[in-house]
Amino acid sequence: MKEILGMTDVETIGRLADMVKEKELSEITVCDGERMITIKGRECAPPPAPAFIPQMNMAALTAPSAPAAQPEQAPKQEAVSGNVVKSPIVGTFYASPSPDKPAFVKVGDKVKKGDVIMIIESMKLMNEIQSDFDGVVDKILVTDGQAVEFDQPLMIIK
């Protein structure tokens, strides 16, 4: 090792340089006490950027002569009259406190502000949802055990 770093053995340094080139190394460092030599090769090229692949319309590829399909019309939503109770959280709607108990409310029931009208289970917690309105339950828009999203209409109270 002393011969390599003592610069008396240029042949050995040449062999190290050849090894870096042959093995396509980015660099090699040899140390001997306080002396150190680093031989750098070519820098490794960064990996190539992924090629852009455009999205293809598979229907156009399989049936090029077929006429373009008309987009479906969304069903018209009824005008809602009354107060809409929306889900305050993401979870599962339950109409009753347990499967063997009656529902908190059903269509036609009178409710007062503050009455518990449903449960939404979220993260293993049962959250009692209270009515923000006085009135009569006009429609229940979800079924028992159905997953609900935040701000999803659940019930209409007139």
Side-chain angles (χ1 to χ4, degrees):
M1 195 64 114
K2 289 185 181 184
E3 293 176 5
I4 293 174
L5 298 177
M7 300 299 277
T8 57
D9 196 347
V10 176
E11 184 180 310
T12 305
I13 294 172
R15 282 190 271 155
L16 287 171
D18 289 341
M19 185 180 358
V20 167
K21 182 178 178 181
E22 184 180 304
K23 303 282 186 185
E24 296 182 6
L25 301 173
S26 59
E27 72 178 51
I28 188 170
T29 301
V30 179
C31 298
D32 180 25
E34 293 179 15
R35 298 179 189 165
M36 178 173 67
I37 184 170
T38 299
I39 300 172
K40 293 189 177 192
R42 289 187 307 155
E43 288 191 30
C44 297
F52 174 73
I53 302 173
Q55 295 287 337
M56 292 188 191
N57 182 349
M58 295 306 288
L61 292 176
T62 57
S65 62
Q70 295 294 327
E72 291 184 26
Q73 296 288 332
K76 294 181 182 178
Q77 293 189 359
E78 301 176 23
V80 176
S81 63
N83 299 307
V84 179
V85 177
K86 295 182 178 182
S87 178
I89 54 176
V90 173
T92 304
F93 169 85
Y94 292 109
S96 62
S98 66
D100 59 333
K101 302 279 183 179
F104 289 107
V105 295
K106 53 189 178 296
V107 174
D109 286 354
K110 289 183 180 180
V111 294
K112 292 183 181 175
K113 185 175 180 175
D115 288 351
V116 175
I117 54 175
M118 68 186 79
I119 289 178
I120 297 182
E121 177 188 4
S122 180
M123 298 179 65
K124 305 285 183 195
L125 294 175
M126 299 298 183
N127 301 282
E128 291 184 343
I129 308 302
Q130 299 174 347
S131 176
D132 289 333
F133 315 104
D134 290 334
V136 177
V137 177
D138 185 49
K139 288 184 183 177
I140 300 175
L141 306 172
V142 291
T143 59
D144 197 46
Q146 179 179 338
V148 295
E149 297 293 324
F150 172 75
D151 215 27
Q152 176 180 344
L154 304 175
M155 192 177 293
I156 299 174
I157 299 176
K158 286 188 174 183

